[in-house]
Amino acid sequence: MGSAFGVILGGVLAVLGYGAALAQEAIEGTWRTQLQSEITIAPCAEGFCGALSKIVVPSEGLSADEIAAAAAMPVEAYTDHRNKDANLRSRPMLGLQILTLRPSTKPGIYDGDIYNPQDGNTYSGYVEMVTMDLMRLNGCVLYNIICRGEDWVRVIPEPEALPSAG
């Protein structure tokens, strides 16, 4: 009887563990943008927040001098210099929260606000989970009448190397 109880208990714990794994939302994780920067999305007080976790400076919209200056700077020195609020222009870009999302009434859709550091504006928008490893970010203007989207792919962590025996 002891071994049967152990099997049942093990099965119950496995189901509970599986349930805990399902509690993690599909949107959580690190996502690569079309310009190769990465955003890490995690639960926060507002719902889900996305912060810049890897920055790749886009060349579009930048002068040759700005591109050269960015290439010469360590990524930790990048600041939010295009923010509309002059008091926020010195805040670091790495780790900057650019997404604030809340689950909507539609499955796989998260509504919220998107901060665009390229122009310093915040837009209303939404994220649509296309698959577990593909999301579409949509930023909107004019009361969500005009929206522009971009696909992001999930960053799959590299497996950790096992220490070599030797």
Side-chain angles (χ1 to χ4, degrees):
M1 172 142 179
S3 64
F5 178 73
V7 169
I8 293 171
L9 179 60
V12 169
L13 292 176
V15 169
L16 290 175
Y18 179 71
L22 288 179
Q24 181 177 7
E25 293 278 345
I27 196 166
E28 291 180 57
T30 301
W31 297 87
R32 183 169 297 120
T33 70
Q34 288 181 346
L35 296 175
Q36 304 304 305
S37 289
E38 294 179 3
I39 314 301
T40 299
I41 299 176
C44 65
E46 297 89 352
F48 295 93
C49 295
L52 283 166
S53 50
K54 177 183 176 186
I55 300 172
V56 175
V57 178
S59 57
E60 74 180 47
L62 297 179
S63 69
D65 289 341
E66 288 174 317
I67 293 170
M73 292 171 49
V75 71
E76 294 80 15
Y78 297 158
T79 60
D80 191 13
H81 71 279
R82 291 192 172 163
N83 195 297
K84 302 298 181 199
D85 183 343
N87 294 324
L88 298 177
R89 292 180 185 155
S90 63
R91 67 183 178 173
M93 291 292 294
L94 197 60
L96 180 67
Q97 180 181 323
I98 64 167
L99 295 175
T100 305
L101 303 168
R102 297 163 303 285
S104 76
T105 56
K106 300 174 191 166
I109 304 288
Y110 298 82
D111 295 320
D113 300 308
I114 304 160
Y115 175 68
N116 182 356
Q118 289 180 282
D119 65 12
N121 290 315
T122 300
Y123 299 93
S124 65
Y126 63 96
V127 167
E128 176 184 2
M129 295 300 302
V130 178
T131 69
M132 287 297 291
D133 295 325
L134 178 68
M135 74 163 57
R136 182 157 187 79
L137 176 80
N138 295 284
C140 305
V141 295
L142 297 175
Y143 304 101
N144 292 347
I145 294 173
I146 300 173
C147 297
R148 189 178 119 213
E150 177 177 304
D151 290 341
W152 292 1
V153 295
R154 184 180 302 276
V155 175
I156 306 298
E158 293 291 325
E160 293 185 31
L162 296 174
S164 59

